[in-house]
Amino acid sequence: MCGIFAYLNFNLSRERRYILEVLFNGLRRLEYRGYDSAGISIDSSSDAVVPPALVFRKEGNIESLVKSVYHEVAATDLNLEESFSVHAGIAHTRWATHGEPAPRNSHPQTSDSRNEFLVVHNGVITNYEVLKETLVRHGFTFESDTDTEVIPKLAKFVFDNANEEGDKSVTFSQVVLEVMRHLEGAYALIFKSTHYPNELIACKRGSPLLLGVKELTEEPIRASFNDTKFLLSNGQPKELFLSSDASALVEHTKKVLVIEDGEVVHIQDGGASIFKFENAKEKGCEKLKRPASVQRALSVLEMEVEQINKGKYEHYMQKEIHEQPESLTTTMRGRLIRGGSCKAKSVLLGGLKDHLRTIRRSRRIVFIGCGTSYNAALAARPILEELSGIPVTMEIASDLVDRQGPIYREDTTVFVSQSGETADTLQALEYALENGALCVGITNTVGSAIARHTHCGVHINAGCEIGVASTKAYTSQIVVMAILALAIGDDTISSQGRREAIIDNLFDLPNKVKEVLKLDEEMKDLAKLLIAEQSLLVFGRGYNYATALEGALKVKEVSLMHSEGILAGEMKHGPLALVDETLPIVVIATRDACFSKQQSVIQQLHARKGRLIVMCSKGDAASVSVGGSCRVVEVPVVEDCLQPVINIVPLQLLAYHLTVLRGYNVDQPRNLAKSVTTQ
């Protein structure tokens, strides 16, 4: 969705140029979350008692903002070498939901011409129209088309009312808590105000937000907070960071606080207080209530700076495709047990071991996800049904919520999300919890909303994925769900041979992915042949129906070519009408129970002069290429339930090369963002 970032230095002299670069670099790390416009706010002077806030906003990507800021600075003679011992700056990169990409719709959004209150926001305020009407009646004028603008204006309204009533001691946190009482929807917010210089407020409901802590002393950082301010209120020089994602923090510090829903973090005088938002005012109490603080603990990021750099690669998507042997190894580490002379091979999922008996007794298992995560679950469904004997159904999260589809107490619902913050999936999770189902989370993000709110779960441990088009997370999700199937079916003697064959193949899977990555140049050559095409069809069935859907999704989302994944069994029910000698068609026909049926599909498409590209198992080229007329891509053979992991890699490479050759930004596809935190 959007990316929000803030930087506050305390008792630590920093020049304005340095502060700007920290904010810009934070946005660069978050740009995958949105890149159609961006903005920052910094103080105008270090000498003023109440320094006026400067706001810079620009349509376009982060570099457009950087150029614009330095151009404005040069035009106004703003001193970039001016030092600040204390300074709070905020920044935002936007993915438009309300209002077109334009400076007036960019963040920070402001309360008035004097920038008394400024806000950066990730999420959607669902009741903004009602709030806007109320504020207009009280004399406020609106300049943007956003839902966000009501927030700083509401803050000013609350602050002005408190002062008119004689409450001159109203604190920044009291103002923000009162604002939160009026907001509906999902949001992560950072507030800055000229009334509270060198202070920041962060709060969230639904959208992710982290606080990073960097103390520049020899004194070790304590790991928890006391009842007023946590460890930071010691007067020592320090830097504090707020971010939508850990990727913007890891280069500064690994000590973080994952802010929980309903929490308000008030950074002031080098300290940070944490309050819990309570929606109701005390009965008969009209004044703003001073909330009680809560105690929290810092955690340590398990991430390295190298993970968020491109290294030797030109793009993040390219890097993440080629990282898959390593990411799969990490996903499986500690989860596969080789067994021995008297012990069978098995698997271990520590996050599920206490719930396996309940899952085995389930009436059904329901996979719930969106986009790539849905496709990964679809790829794993057949093996889960086979090994567990439990009916497995698929639900697109938004559709389940729209229909209010039946979820029962006897169901196990499995929520699949790379970020763990997908808005539709979270709403479906809330719905399943209300209906009493066992909720299992499969995510790539420790501490995410899905990880926190499900009863149990598994982290896929694929590592940081920055490219908007998911690649390594998809293959790790399939592997984790295959291991889940092995764990659930572990008590069935009749399937022991099948389970052990799958485990053997899992051990060798990273090597097989390394082998298929050697097709890189071949897929680049294929992309050159398809560069001018307007459409692409991908046929698959069985385990590889999901591969067809995911391959087509990768092509359409980054190369902007229309592509459609089609269940091959449905070919004669409409799609066959599209076939002619010009339309490129990919048919996935690797060795599995559906191989002979896919051979028949190839024959029928060839009879209609179809322009075929066939993916087959090594050594099967002659079996699938009718008269040598097809272009054939041969891939290594693994167990059928793991073949989707192998088969998707050439299609990922094809999508990548198509995009680069067509001149598009592969890491920032048009109109898309990485974490969809709005509905």
Side-chain angles (χ1 to χ4, degrees), residues 5-9 16 19 23 40-45 50-56 84 86-91 108-112 114-121 151-153 155-156 172 175-176 189-203 242 265-267:
F5 185 79
Y7 168 60
L8 187 147
N9 55 295
R16 180 178 279 115
I19 292 167
L23 293 173
I40 62 168
S41 176
I42 58 173
D43 291 340
S44 60
S45 171
V50 181
L54 300 176
V55 177
F56 303 89
F84 296 79
V86 185
H87 181 278
I90 60 176
Q109 285 290 308
T110 184
S111 59
D112 61 326
R114 296 186 298 278
N115 298 326
E116 292 181 40
F117 288 89
L118 291 161
V119 169
V120 289
H121 169 213
I151 303 172
K153 286 177 165 49
K156 176 171 168 53
F172 201 178
V175 171
V176 171
L189 304 170
I190 304 175
F191 290 77
K192 174 179 168 69
S193 174
T194 56
H195 295 292
Y196 305 97
N198 305 319
E199 297 182 33
L200 291 175
I201 296 266
C203 60
L242 292 160
V265 177
H266 185 180
I267 300 173

Side-chain angles (χ1 to χ4, degrees), residues 226-283:
N226 63 32
D227 285 339
T228 53
K229 292 194 174 95
F230 69 76
L231 60 122
L232 300 175
S233 55
N234 54 14
Q236 296 295 331
K238 59 188 66 71
E239 294 175 304
L240 296 139
F241 307 86
L242 292 160
S243 175
S244 297
D245 194 280
S247 60
L249 299 178
V250 67
E251 61 191 293
H252 302 290
T253 181
K254 289 189 177 182
K255 292 185 167 60
V256 301
L257 170 79
V258 178
I259 300 172
E260 300 277 1
D261 280 355
E263 286 185 343
V264 178
V265 177
H266 185 180
I267 300 173
Q268 177 186 20
D269 298 331
S273 306
I274 303 176
F275 305 105
K276 194 69 177 175
F277 168 67
E278 296 175 2
N279 201 26
K281 289 183 182 178
E282 286 188 355
K283 194 171 184 180

